[in-house]
Amino acid sequence: MTTGPVRPTLEESPSFLKAEHISVRYGETVALNDVTLHIPTNRVTVLIGPSGCGKSTTLRCINALVKTSSGHIDYGDASIQAMSETDLRRNMGYAIQSVGLMPHMTVEENVDLVPRLLGWKRSERTERVSRLLKLVRLDPQVYRNKYPHELSGGEAQRVGVARALGADPPVLLMDEPFGAVDPLTREQLQDEFIRIQRQLKKTVVFVTHDIDEAVRLADYLVIMKDGMIVQADTPEQILAAPANEFVERFLGPDRSLKRLSLFTADHCCLEQVVSGTGKPSEAQLPKGSNRCYWQVDADGKPIMGFTWIHNRIIERPITSSTHTVQPYSSMKECMSAILSLGMPATAVVDDDGRLYGEVRFETIQTISLS
Amino acid sequence: MYIRIYNQKVVKTTRSVDIGRCRHMSEELDSPPLTCYLHRIGETPVETERTEQAFALPMGEHVGQFESRLNFHRKLAAIVLLVFAVSFFFPFFFARENRISAEIPGGIAELALLPTLLLLLPPTMILLYALIRNSRRSEWLLSFAGTLGLLAPLAVLAYVGPRVVSTLGPFARYSPGSGMYLYLTAVAIVYLMKARIRIGDYIGLAVALAVVLALGHQGSFNRLGILLEARNFGTRLSREILAHIRITGISIGISVLVGIPLALVTFQSRRMRKLVFPLLNVLQTIPGIALFGLLIAPLAALSQAFPQLREWGIKGIGNTPAIIALSMYALYPIIRYSFTAISSIDASVVLAAQGMGMSSGQVWRIVRFPLATPGILHGIRVALVQTIGNATLAKLIGGDGLGVLVFEGLGQASVDMVLLGMLLIIALTVAADRIFQILITVLTPVSLRREGA
Ligand SMILES: Nc1ncnc2c1ncn2[C@@H]1O[C@H](COP(=O)(O)OP(=O)(O)OP(=O)(O)O)[C@@H](O)[C@H]1O
Ligand SMILES: [Mg+2]
């Protein structure tokens, strides 16, 4: 059983993107005040804070859309002030807060913009557009030729994300990319985000208002207020030890539950499962055991859960997708599945719905105490 | 309750509205059937009524606006009836013994039964329309009223022609009177009332045109004053028309070449903005004739000093000062519209473009220009329409164009000649406007067409 820390610690992550003592003024307003931020390479940095605290401004400083009035930002060995703005920005996918799709271009042309600017080959680009649209859960057949005014806010936002990923940049700047998306799709997009981030290991700076999203996605969580950084650390650390009352209030009263969303099913607690196509035998589910037995169909999909409760075998039919979880689901979702099925564990299924493992309540308990 | 009528979101309202009512409204407005999505705020939309076609109305219109539009239609019908009624109290034509003799008014009382009945038919139809308005078929009444409204005055003119000659002698001539103009105004409002000009209307217009040509060929309009004047002018007429087009074209060309770059510079530099707009405002307030006159002295001096210039046509009087003055006038709409078009582009779109690494040239080429094109073209269109009218004044400083007809006609007290000039100017304006509208539609990016219209 592996219950160790889910994510690699930040010490292993050097930083090639460093903001040193930057300040930004818009006339009288001080948008950023002496901010120092080292963005861990190949990790997700999440900026969070109240409206107007300077999150968007920080992103715009990084890709030189806003000039700093003091301090400097280094990209690798060079200061970005010394670099060509266009080169710098082409290395950074930028999903802006207000989406800003080109209204006179189709979804395809929008997503295709940066690859086209970079002069990629046509065949390669068409292929890529389809891949990116699927990635943000938009059917390429349906959306490819639509115009921005034909999209809902959430759809437009996802096209904006696809556009930012367009040329496969090493750095991604995402300003509330899922803000206008419904909670269900948002969760799917977060899953997708976590999945691809594990593969691609981009350096991501992600702005959000949603603390759950922040805790879920962040390797490095930066809490800002009034143009300053209040606390910057791993989400685990911040949840365990908020620096001050502001952070504590910001995290909300259900901090312990939030911590659960830091752990995913596969990383910490997939257990051996007992399963079969028929009812459980005495050996498979000994009398009085607090274990579970999963009955699967011919495809290996779980259809019924069995366990002993109060000296009785109880059977729980698995009828809804909320009764099972996936390897990438968070502990919080596991907890919810356990409660909704009414069993001491929940079945983990793979992408095809086949039984893959289980997560037990007692494991979750251990983790939350650790 | 919250409703969206879905031609990609046509109507939103927070008032409670049921689907039956929506369908009713779509019929009222002679729009094709519609698709409604009914849902409470916060719920996913439930599609309640789906039909083949989408609503052909502008986006974001409120149900309240629909209703006021309906009432508006009824009011319009009343106005049309009033205009028709008033027109019958004015002379429908004027007859004259010769070119400059006094006018003898003639009203509908002098017409035979048939032309009179024909004249009365369109108002009757509008009355019917106002009474039964609720069905889609009522739109047909508008179409018939429109077509007949064009044919009836023609019939009157064709009927009057031979009679004028027989009573007033061989030099007799006649022209439409104020009653007929009022009548045609009412007909024009009928066309405006239509939700859409449909194939039936085009057929109606074609029939009217065919009748004009047939009657004209037969000689029914031979004694019409403006036609006599036109015949007198002969080839000079087409020369003046071409001169008018040329003067307008060159002026617009110059102001486009100067105006659009100036608009860009103005957009880029705040200091230029403070300079250019007050200057344009002052320019705009100088009356046309004054500006034409003001240019005479400096240009005359210039051509005196450099006789070379005179060979190129640059002198104090003639077309050159006219063209210069006209282009100065046309600058205002062109710069204004272009500036507005460029600066009203959504800032987030430009920011996104810069953010993805476009150079400033690319931002202009890929984002700003395509998005500003409709606005810029609208500016040129406004300038064009305005310049065609103003070019009439060129005659006053010795230039050519249709102003020649207007001002010579005034000089000779020939109403028909002035009218001929005016009608040709109006025709040119309308033609230029239509052509430009088509151009704008073609050059506007597909996705922007709906909002731009
Ligand atoms: N272009 C601008 N001109 C003037 N002030 C600006 C401009 N952009 C931002 N500001 C100000 O700078 C401060 C920080 O803005 P910023 O957009 O970074 O906030 P944010 O943290 O992204 O907020 P939100 O969560 O609402 O997006 C705000 O007080 C804002 O009013
Ligand atoms: Mg922001």
Side-chain angles (χ1 to χ4, degrees), chain A residues 51-52 54-57 60 97 175-176 207 209:
Chain A
S51 199
K55 306 180 292 292
S56 301
T57 308
R60 286 181 198 171
Q97 187 169 9
D175 203 339
E176 299 189 36
V207 171
H209 269 136

Side-chain angles (χ1 to χ4, degrees), chain B residues 74-120:
Chain B
R74 234 172 237 138
K75 277 182 201 143
L76 268 184
I79 291 173
V80 168
L81 281 173
L82 190 72
V83 177
F84 271 130
V86 171
S87 77
F88 292 128
F89 292 98
F90 285 89
F92 256 63
F93 57 89
F94 292 108
R96 242 177 271 145
E97 249 174 271
N98 55 49
R99 191 160 179 237
I100 49 171
S101 63
E103 290 172 330
I104 308 164
I108 52 165
E110 277 136 82
L111 298 175
L113 186 64
L114 198 66
T116 314
L117 280 183
L118 212 53
L119 279 177
L120 287 174

Side-chain angles (χ1 to χ4, degrees), chain B residues 67-356:
Chain B
E67 284 172 349
S68 64
R69 199 197 271 207
L70 287 185
N71 291 331
F72 183 57
H73 262 234
R74 234 172 237 138
K75 277 182 201 143
L76 268 184
I79 291 173
V80 168
L81 281 173
L82 190 72
V83 177
F84 271 130
V86 171
S87 77
F88 292 128
F89 292 98
F90 285 89
F92 256 63
F93 57 89
F94 292 108
R96 242 177 271 145
E97 249 174 271
N98 55 49
R99 191 160 179 237
I100 49 171
S101 63
E103 290 172 330
I104 308 164
I108 52 165
E110 277 136 82
L111 298 175
L113 186 64
L114 198 66
T116 314
L117 280 183
L118 212 53
L119 279 177
L120 287 174
L121 220 48
T124 319
M125 286 173 162
I126 296 298
L127 188 64
L128 269 179
Y129 169 85
L131 294 180
I132 64 165
R133 249 235 41 96
N134 278 329
S135 116
R136 299 182 72 178
R137 257 159 277 143
S138 61
E139 191 81 356
W140 279 103
L141 282 172
L142 283 187
S143 293
F144 276 127
T147 307
L148 281 176
L150 291 176
L151 285 175
L154 287 175
V156 170
L157 288 180
Y159 171 86
V160 170
R163 278 155 194 80
V164 168
V165 182
S166 67
T167 51
L168 294 177
F171 299 111
R173 56 190 65 211
Y174 68 109
S175 43
S178 42
M180 193 172 288
Y181 288 125
L182 272 175
Y183 191 91
L184 287 171
T185 308
V187 174
I189 305 177
V190 170
Y191 274 98
L192 289 180
M193 278 166 74
K194 298 181 63 59
R196 216 162 359 130
I197 304 292
R198 285 191 292 190
I199 195 81
D201 299 300
Y202 286 114
I203 293 173
L205 286 173
V207 167
L209 193 67
V211 169
V212 171
L213 290 178
L215 288 174
H217 187 70
Q218 207 187 305
S220 300
F221 300 131
N222 277 358
R223 300 314 297 172
L224 211 52
I226 42 174
L227 289 188
L228 289 173
E229 293 292 347
R231 205 169 305 149
N232 281 347
F233 261 95
T235 55
R236 225 186 116 199
L237 187 66
S238 52
R239 257 206 334 269
E240 297 299 357
I241 296 177
L242 284 180
H244 202 96
I245 294 176
R246 200 174 54 239
I247 292 172
T248 308
I250 295 174
S251 312
I252 291 290
I254 292 174
S255 50
V256 165
L257 288 181
V258 176
I260 294 181
L262 210 57
L264 301 195
V265 175
T266 312
F267 173 76
Q268 295 281 29
S269 133
R270 184 168 303 191
R271 207 177 306 154
M272 278 299 282
R273 220 170 298 167
K274 287 208 178 112
L275 189 75
V276 170
F277 283 124
L279 215 67
L280 282 178
N281 284 332
V282 169
L283 204 66
Q284 205 63 11
T285 54
I286 303 176
I289 299 178
L291 186 59
F292 280 63
L294 277 178
L295 285 170
I296 295 179
L299 281 173
L302 214 67
S303 72
Q304 211 97 85
F306 306 98
Q308 177 68 37
L309 291 175
R310 202 174 298 217
E311 278 170 38
W312 300 339
I314 298 182
K315 334 183 262 241
I317 55 167
N319 287 336
T320 311
I323 287 174
I324 293 175
L326 288 173
S327 6
M328 281 162 87
Y329 268 116
L331 271 183
Y332 184 81
I334 288 177
I335 293 182
R336 255 287 167 216
Y337 274 71
S338 306
F339 179 82
T340 311
I342 296 168
S343 50
S344 62
I345 293 171
D346 189 351
S348 70
V349 171
V350 176
L351 192 72
Q354 290 166 338
M356 66 179 70

Side-chain angles (χ1 to χ4, degrees), chain A residues 294-335:
Chain A
W294 305 101
Q295 185 185 356
V296 295
D297 64 8
D299 296 330
K301 295 180 182 162
I303 48 175
M304 188 85 85
F306 296 83
T307 190
W308 284 93
I309 292 181
H310 299 314
N311 292 323
R312 231 158 39 83
I313 281 201
I314 57 147
E315 314 178 356
R316 300 275 190 220
I318 294 169
T319 47
S320 134
S321 62
T322 58
H323 291 159
T324 56
V325 294
Q326 265 143 0
Y328 296 116
S329 304
S330 71
M331 285 285 97
K332 201 173 157 192
E333 289 165 84
C334 296
M335 192 68 204

Side-chain angles (χ1 to χ4, degrees), chain A residues 60 63 65 86 89-90 94 96 98 100-105 113-114 117 147 149 151 163, chain B residues 9 348-349 351-359 362 366-367 370-371 445-448 450:
Chain A
R60 286 181 198 171
N63 69 0
L65 279 170
T86 48
R89 289 174 194 160
R90 283 177 190 179
Y94 180 34
I96 86 169
S98 39
L101 296 181
M102 309 289 140
H104 57 307
M105 296 183 186
L113 256 175
V114 186
L117 288 176
Y147 281 98
H149 74 264
L151 302 177
R163 180 174 67 180
Chain B
K9 315 157 196 154
S348 70
V349 171
L351 192 72
Q354 290 166 338
M356 66 179 70
M358 285 192 198
S359 66
Q362 282 168 328
I366 302 175
V367 183
L371 288 176
V446 181
S447 58
L448 303 178
R450 196 193 332 229

